Amino acid sequence: MKIKYIIKATARTRSLFLVRDVETFGNVVPFAFRDCEQQEWKIAKFDTKEEAIAACEEARKYDGADYTPIILEALVQEESD
């Protein structure tokens, strides 16, 4: 098992997570905040907090909402290449 970083944000009554490769209006954006309880998404996992912060900044380029992101440590199975 390995520690990775994921990002959660709260918007009114929903918990949102930063996910990868989201299709919006016919385009795929690298990162966006989505409600993972309503639909299955690939939650973005990062090796460092700095990578997680950079991904949040990238998501804000495509998402006009001003969420307060929370970086969480997650214990995940190591992925095989």
Side-chain angles (χ1 to χ4, degrees):
M1 307 227 29
K2 185 176 184 179
I3 291 177
K4 295 278 187 166
Y5 298 95
I6 62 175
I7 301 170
K8 180 179 179 181
T10 303
R12 293 191 181 179
T13 60
R14 310 180 291 167
S15 290
L16 307 173
F17 287 88
L18 190 67
V19 300
R20 292 186 182 275
D21 302 326
V22 177
E23 185 174 333
T24 58
F25 305 108
N27 295 320
V28 176
V29 298
F31 299 103
F33 284 98
R34 292 291 183 260
D35 183 350
C36 292
E37 291 180 12
Q38 300 295 324
Q39 187 174 350
E40 188 173 327
W41 294 95
K42 184 176 179 182
I43 295 176
K45 299 175 204 135
F46 305 95
D47 291 326
T48 67
K49 289 180 184 179
E50 291 75 18
E51 290 174 350
I53 291 167
C56 272
E57 291 170 354
E58 184 70 18
R60 286 195 171 157
K61 291 179 185 176
Y62 304 101
D63 185 353
D66 189 23
Y67 306 120
T68 300
I70 302 165
I71 297 176
L72 303 170
E73 288 184 339
L75 193 57
V76 298
Q77 293 284 355
E78 291 194 46
E79 299 171 359
S80 58
D81 293 332

